[in-house]
Amino acid sequence: MIRIDRVLANNPGPFTGPGTNTWLLDDGLGELVIIDPGPIDDRHLEAIEQAVGDRSVVAILVTHTHEDHAPMANPLARDLGVPALGHAPGPEFDPDLRLEDGGHVAVGAASIEVIHTPGHSEDHLCFRVEDVLFTGDHIMGGSSVMVEAMGPYLDSLEKIRGTGLRRLHPGHGDQMEDPDLVIDWYLAHRLQRHEQIFEAIKAGANTPEAIVETVYNDVGRPLQALALRSVQAHLVLLTEQGRIASDHGDVAIASPKAR
Ligand SMILES: [Zn+2]
Protein backbone atom coordinates (compact mmCIF):
# COMPACT_ATOMS: atom_id res chain seq x y z
CA MET A 1 0.00 0.00 0.00
CA ILE A 2 1.43 3.32 -1.04
CA ARG A 3 1.75 6.02 1.58
CA ILE A 4 1.52 9.75 0.86
CA ASP A 5 2.66 12.57 3.15
CA ARG A 6 2.44 16.30 2.62
CA VAL A 7 4.93 18.93 3.77
CA LEU A 8 3.60 22.47 3.35
CA ALA A 9 6.18 25.11 2.35
CA ASN A 10 6.29 28.48 4.12
CA ASN A 11 5.28 30.49 1.06
CA PRO A 12 1.60 31.37 1.37
CA GLY A 13 0.34 34.16 -0.89
CA PRO A 14 -2.15 35.22 -3.53
CA PHE A 15 -0.57 32.90 -6.14
CA THR A 16 0.25 29.97 -3.89
CA GLY A 17 -2.76 29.76 -1.54
CA PRO A 18 -1.63 28.21 1.77
CA GLY A 19 1.80 27.51 0.20
CA THR A 20 3.40 24.87 -2.02
CA ASN A 21 2.66 21.24 -1.24
CA THR A 22 5.72 19.03 -1.23
CA TRP A 23 4.51 15.43 -1.57
CA LEU A 24 6.31 12.34 -0.31
CA LEU A 25 5.24 9.20 -2.14
CA ASP A 26 6.31 5.98 -0.44
CA ASP A 27 5.89 2.55 -2.07
CA GLY A 28 4.76 1.22 1.32
CA LEU A 29 8.09 -0.47 1.99
CA GLY A 30 10.19 2.59 2.79
CA GLU A 31 11.33 3.73 -0.66
CA LEU A 32 10.06 7.12 -1.70
CA VAL A 33 10.20 10.03 -4.11
CA ILE A 34 9.83 13.69 -3.21
CA ILE A 35 7.54 15.64 -5.56
CA ASP A 36 8.05 19.44 -5.85
CA PRO A 37 10.48 20.23 -3.01
CA GLY A 38 9.55 23.89 -3.47
CA PRO A 39 11.52 27.11 -3.01
CA ILE A 40 14.94 27.29 -1.33
CA ASP A 41 14.04 27.60 2.34
CA ASP A 42 15.93 26.10 5.30
CA ARG A 43 12.87 25.56 7.44
CA HIS A 44 11.07 23.76 4.65
CA LEU A 45 14.15 21.64 3.93
CA GLU A 46 14.28 20.63 7.59
CA ALA A 47 10.60 19.75 7.58
CA ILE A 48 11.08 17.58 4.47
CA GLU A 49 14.05 15.78 6.00
CA GLN A 50 12.09 15.18 9.17
CA ALA A 51 9.15 13.76 7.21
CA VAL A 52 11.49 11.46 5.25
CA GLY A 53 13.03 10.12 8.50
CA ASP A 54 15.14 7.01 7.93
CA ARG A 55 13.33 6.02 4.74
CA SER A 56 15.22 5.89 1.47
CA VAL A 57 14.66 8.61 -1.14
CA VAL A 58 15.21 7.35 -4.70
CA ALA A 59 14.50 10.52 -6.73
CA ILE A 60 13.22 14.09 -6.70
CA LEU A 61 10.38 14.82 -9.13
CA VAL A 62 9.34 18.24 -10.42
CA THR A 63 5.91 18.97 -11.94
CA HIS A 64 7.09 22.21 -13.57
CA THR A 65 9.84 24.80 -13.21
CA HIS A 66 7.99 27.71 -11.57
CA GLU A 67 9.83 29.25 -8.61
CA ASP A 68 7.43 27.93 -5.98
CA HIS A 69 7.99 24.29 -7.05
CA ALA A 70 11.44 23.55 -8.44
CA PRO A 71 14.38 25.58 -7.03
CA MET A 72 15.16 23.21 -4.15
CA ALA A 73 15.15 20.14 -6.44
CA ASN A 74 18.76 20.23 -7.67
CA PRO A 75 20.42 21.07 -4.32
CA LEU A 76 18.33 18.50 -2.44
CA ALA A 77 19.03 15.83 -5.08
CA ARG A 78 22.76 16.56 -4.80
CA ASP A 79 22.60 16.32 -0.99
CA LEU A 80 20.81 12.98 -1.14
CA GLY A 81 22.83 11.59 -4.03
CA VAL A 82 19.73 10.90 -6.13
CA PRO A 83 18.62 12.24 -9.54
CA ALA A 84 16.28 15.20 -10.01
CA LEU A 85 13.69 14.44 -12.69
CA GLY A 86 11.54 16.80 -14.73
CA HIS A 87 10.37 17.50 -18.27
CA ALA A 88 12.74 20.30 -19.23
CA PRO A 89 15.24 22.76 -17.79
CA GLY A 90 13.88 26.03 -16.42
CA PRO A 91 15.22 29.18 -14.76
CA GLU A 92 16.11 27.47 -11.47
CA PHE A 93 16.06 23.81 -12.40
CA ASP A 94 18.08 21.49 -14.57
CA PRO A 95 16.87 17.88 -14.67
CA ASP A 96 19.43 15.07 -14.40
CA LEU A 97 16.98 13.01 -16.43
CA ARG A 98 14.20 14.31 -18.64
CA LEU A 99 10.78 12.73 -18.27
CA GLU A 100 8.51 12.30 -21.29
CA ASP A 101 4.80 11.64 -21.61
CA GLY A 102 4.01 7.96 -21.02
CA GLY A 103 7.28 7.30 -19.23
CA HIS A 104 7.52 5.50 -15.90
CA VAL A 105 9.56 6.04 -12.74
CA ALA A 106 10.04 3.04 -10.45
CA VAL A 107 9.80 3.66 -6.70
CA GLY A 108 10.56 0.34 -5.06
CA ALA A 109 7.43 -1.74 -5.55
CA ALA A 110 5.42 1.15 -7.05
CA SER A 111 5.49 2.69 -10.50
CA ILE A 112 4.76 6.31 -11.36
CA GLU A 113 3.35 7.18 -14.77
CA VAL A 114 4.45 10.48 -16.30
CA ILE A 115 1.71 12.50 -18.00
CA HIS A 116 2.66 15.62 -19.94
CA THR A 117 0.00 18.26 -19.26
CA PRO A 118 1.02 21.55 -20.95
CA GLY A 119 -1.16 24.62 -20.35
CA HIS A 120 -0.30 26.17 -16.99
CA SER A 121 3.24 25.96 -18.38
CA GLU A 122 4.65 24.17 -21.42
CA ASP A 123 6.86 21.93 -19.25
CA HIS A 124 4.10 20.77 -16.88
CA LEU A 125 3.85 17.13 -15.82
CA CYS A 126 1.34 15.24 -13.70
CA PHE A 127 2.37 12.04 -11.93
CA ARG A 128 0.06 9.07 -11.55
CA VAL A 129 0.43 6.18 -9.15
CA GLU A 130 -2.40 3.66 -9.02
CA ASP A 131 -5.59 5.80 -8.96
CA VAL A 132 -3.94 8.89 -7.45
CA LEU A 133 -2.76 11.85 -9.50
CA PHE A 134 -0.26 14.49 -8.40
CA THR A 135 -1.49 17.49 -10.35
CA GLY A 136 1.05 20.25 -9.64
CA ASP A 137 -0.59 23.47 -10.83
CA HIS A 138 -2.62 21.80 -13.59
CA ILE A 139 -5.42 21.59 -11.00
CA MET A 140 -5.19 23.48 -7.70
CA GLY A 141 -7.23 22.98 -4.54
CA GLY A 142 -9.57 25.86 -3.99
CA SER A 143 -8.40 28.36 -6.59
CA SER A 144 -8.33 28.83 -10.32
CA VAL A 145 -5.20 28.21 -12.33
CA MET A 146 -3.19 30.76 -14.32
CA VAL A 147 -3.09 29.45 -17.88
CA GLU A 148 -0.30 30.20 -20.33
CA ALA A 149 -1.71 28.30 -23.32
CA MET A 150 -5.48 27.72 -23.38
CA GLY A 151 -5.85 25.18 -26.20
CA PRO A 152 -3.22 22.83 -24.72
CA TYR A 153 -4.62 23.43 -21.20
CA LEU A 154 -8.13 22.30 -22.15
CA ASP A 155 -6.67 19.28 -23.99
CA SER A 156 -4.60 18.45 -20.89
CA LEU A 157 -7.77 18.50 -18.75
CA GLU A 158 -9.53 16.16 -21.22
CA LYS A 159 -6.46 13.93 -21.21
CA ILE A 160 -6.79 13.05 -17.50
CA ARG A 161 -10.60 12.96 -17.45
CA GLY A 162 -12.39 9.58 -17.34
CA THR A 163 -9.19 7.66 -16.63
CA GLY A 164 -10.34 5.99 -13.41
CA LEU A 165 -8.72 8.41 -10.97
CA ARG A 166 -9.97 8.49 -7.39
CA ARG A 167 -7.94 11.26 -5.79
CA LEU A 168 -6.01 14.39 -6.76
CA HIS A 169 -3.03 15.74 -4.84
CA PRO A 170 -2.51 19.33 -6.04
CA GLY A 171 0.53 21.59 -5.81
CA HIS A 172 -1.52 23.97 -3.66
CA GLY A 173 -4.50 23.33 -1.38
CA ASP A 174 -6.00 20.12 -0.07
CA GLN A 175 -6.35 16.79 -1.79
CA MET A 176 -9.58 16.27 -3.72
CA GLU A 177 -11.90 13.31 -4.16
CA ASP A 178 -14.09 12.79 -7.27
CA PRO A 179 -11.47 13.85 -9.83
CA ASP A 180 -13.83 13.76 -12.81
CA LEU A 181 -16.24 16.17 -11.07
CA VAL A 182 -13.34 18.49 -10.30
CA ILE A 183 -12.06 18.29 -13.89
CA ASP A 184 -15.57 18.96 -15.23
CA TRP A 185 -15.74 22.06 -13.02
CA TYR A 186 -12.39 23.27 -14.36
CA LEU A 187 -13.47 22.69 -17.96
CA ALA A 188 -16.80 24.45 -17.38
CA HIS A 189 -15.11 27.36 -15.59
CA ARG A 190 -12.61 27.85 -18.44
CA LEU A 191 -15.28 27.68 -21.16
CA GLN A 192 -17.41 30.14 -19.17
CA ARG A 193 -14.46 32.56 -18.95
CA HIS A 194 -13.85 32.04 -22.67
CA GLU A 195 -17.41 33.15 -23.50
CA GLN A 196 -17.30 36.02 -20.97
CA ILE A 197 -14.18 37.31 -22.67
CA PHE A 198 -15.78 37.02 -26.10
CA GLU A 199 -18.85 38.90 -24.80
CA ALA A 200 -16.63 41.61 -23.29
CA ILE A 201 -14.97 42.11 -26.68
CA LYS A 202 -18.39 42.26 -28.34
CA ALA A 203 -19.35 44.93 -25.78
CA GLY A 204 -16.33 47.02 -26.76
CA ALA A 205 -13.39 45.92 -24.58
CA ASN A 206 -10.54 46.03 -27.10
CA THR A 207 -7.37 45.39 -25.07
CA PRO A 208 -6.39 42.58 -22.68
CA GLU A 209 -6.33 45.14 -19.84
CA ALA A 210 -9.86 46.34 -20.60
CA ILE A 211 -11.05 42.75 -20.72
CA VAL A 212 -9.53 42.02 -17.29
CA GLU A 213 -11.32 45.11 -15.88
CA THR A 214 -14.63 43.79 -17.21
CA VAL A 215 -14.36 40.05 -16.62
CA TYR A 216 -12.18 39.90 -13.52
CA ASN A 217 -13.59 42.94 -11.68
CA ASP A 218 -14.20 40.77 -8.61
CA VAL A 219 -10.56 39.82 -7.91
CA GLY A 220 -7.82 41.81 -6.19
CA ARG A 221 -4.88 43.59 -7.88
CA PRO A 222 -2.22 40.85 -7.65
CA LEU A 223 -4.59 38.29 -9.09
CA GLN A 224 -5.53 40.70 -11.89
CA ALA A 225 -1.90 40.56 -13.07
CA LEU A 226 -2.20 36.80 -13.21
CA ALA A 227 -5.61 37.05 -14.88
CA LEU A 228 -4.03 39.18 -17.60
CA ARG A 229 -1.91 36.21 -18.68
CA SER A 230 -4.90 33.89 -18.71
CA VAL A 231 -6.86 36.47 -20.76
CA GLN A 232 -4.00 36.57 -23.27
CA ALA A 233 -4.16 32.78 -23.52
CA HIS A 234 -7.94 32.98 -24.13
CA LEU A 235 -7.33 35.61 -26.83
CA VAL A 236 -4.88 33.35 -28.65
CA LEU A 237 -7.45 30.56 -28.62
CA LEU A 238 -10.28 32.91 -29.78
CA THR A 239 -8.01 34.03 -32.63
CA GLU A 240 -7.21 30.41 -33.56
CA GLN A 241 -10.93 29.73 -33.54
CA GLY A 242 -11.41 32.60 -36.01
CA ARG A 243 -13.78 34.40 -33.62
CA ILE A 244 -11.64 37.48 -33.05
CA ALA A 245 -8.93 39.32 -34.91
CA SER A 246 -6.09 41.22 -33.26
CA ASP A 247 -4.11 44.15 -34.53
CA HIS A 248 -1.09 45.41 -32.59
CA GLY A 249 -2.51 44.18 -29.29
CA ASP A 250 -6.00 45.53 -29.94
CA VAL A 251 -8.67 42.91 -30.38
CA ALA A 252 -12.02 42.94 -32.19
CA ILE A 253 -14.71 40.53 -33.26
CA ALA A 254 -13.61 38.93 -36.51
CA SER A 255 -15.56 40.01 -39.54
CA PRO A 256 -16.05 37.66 -42.48
CA LYS A 257 -13.11 38.14 -44.85
CA ALA A 258 -13.87 40.56 -47.67
CA ARG A 259 -12.75 39.44 -51.11
ZN1 LIG B 1 2.55 26.74 -7.97
Side-chain angles (χ1 to χ4, degrees):
M1 264 267 279
I2 58 167
R3 165 181 163 189
I4 296 168
D5 298 299
R6 163 162 70 172
V7 185
L8 180 62
N10 316 301
N11 61 343
F15 309 143
T16 56
T20 302
N21 292 329
T22 296
W23 294 106
L24 272 48
L25 168 64
D26 186 315
D27 72 338
L29 300 168
E31 285 201 23
L32 63 95
V33 293
I34 298 171
I35 299 172
D36 285 351
I40 306 261
D41 176 312
D42 286 345
R43 265 194 354 196
H44 186 51
L45 180 60
E46 246 172 67
I48 292 173
E49 286 170 346
Q50 208 160 52
V52 168
D54 56 7
R55 295 180 287 164
S56 163
V57 178
V58 296
I60 312 291
L61 271 58
V62 165
T63 59
H64 64 300
T65 59
H66 286 167
E67 62 180 12
D68 52 331
H69 295 261
M72 188 122 86
N74 287 128
L76 182 57
R78 262 196 307 276
D79 272 9
L80 295 169
V82 300
L85 315 178
H87 184 60
E92 293 176 81
F93 177 66
D94 190 10
D96 298 312
L97 271 169
R98 293 177 69 153
L99 300 174
E100 301 294 339
D101 185 52
H104 285 83
V105 178
V107 191
S111 178
I112 299 172
E113 183 192 349
V114 177
I115 305 172
H116 186 215
T117 49
H120 172 70
S121 63
E122 163 52 32
D123 64 0
H124 199 287
L125 302 175
C126 291
F127 300 115
R128 177 171 187 156
V129 60
E130 298 175 1
D131 50 13
V132 170
L133 190 72
F134 295 90
T135 63
D137 285 359
H138 186 38
I139 293 177
M140 293 166 47
S143 49
S144 104
V145 167
M146 188 279 295
V147 179
E148 242 168 51
M150 199 55 64
Y153 182 71
L154 296 173
D155 291 346
S156 293
L157 285 175
E158 295 284 0
K159 187 175 185 175
I160 57 171
R161 193 180 173 285
T163 59
L165 292 168
R166 294 190 54 185
R167 216 163 62 226
L168 304 176
H169 289 262
H172 306 276
D174 292 333
Q175 65 187 57
M176 290 167 274
E177 314 287 330
D178 288 322
D180 283 346
L181 277 182
V182 175
I183 295 164
D184 279 346
W185 183 88
Y186 268 75
L187 281 166
H189 174 67
R190 272 302 143 206
L191 294 175
Q192 186 197 13
R193 283 294 193 216
H194 203 58
E195 294 313 313
Q196 284 174 339
I197 287 166
F198 186 66
E199 290 303 317
I201 297 167
K202 268 210 254 182
N206 64 346
T207 64
E209 290 77 10
I211 293 165
V212 170
E213 296 266 311
T214 313
V215 176
Y216 291 84
N217 56 6
D218 54 337
V219 307
R221 281 270 162 221
L223 283 177
Q224 284 199 349
L226 217 60
L228 185 62
R229 296 179 66 180
S230 290
V231 164
Q232 278 156 342
H234 278 292
L235 295 179
V236 170
L237 184 57
L238 283 167
T239 308
E240 285 168 3
Q241 292 170 334
R243 298 172 70 188
I244 64 166
S246 59
D247 179 30
H248 296 99
D250 280 17
V251 292
I253 301 300
S255 50
K257 272 214 174 75
R259 315 192 35 149

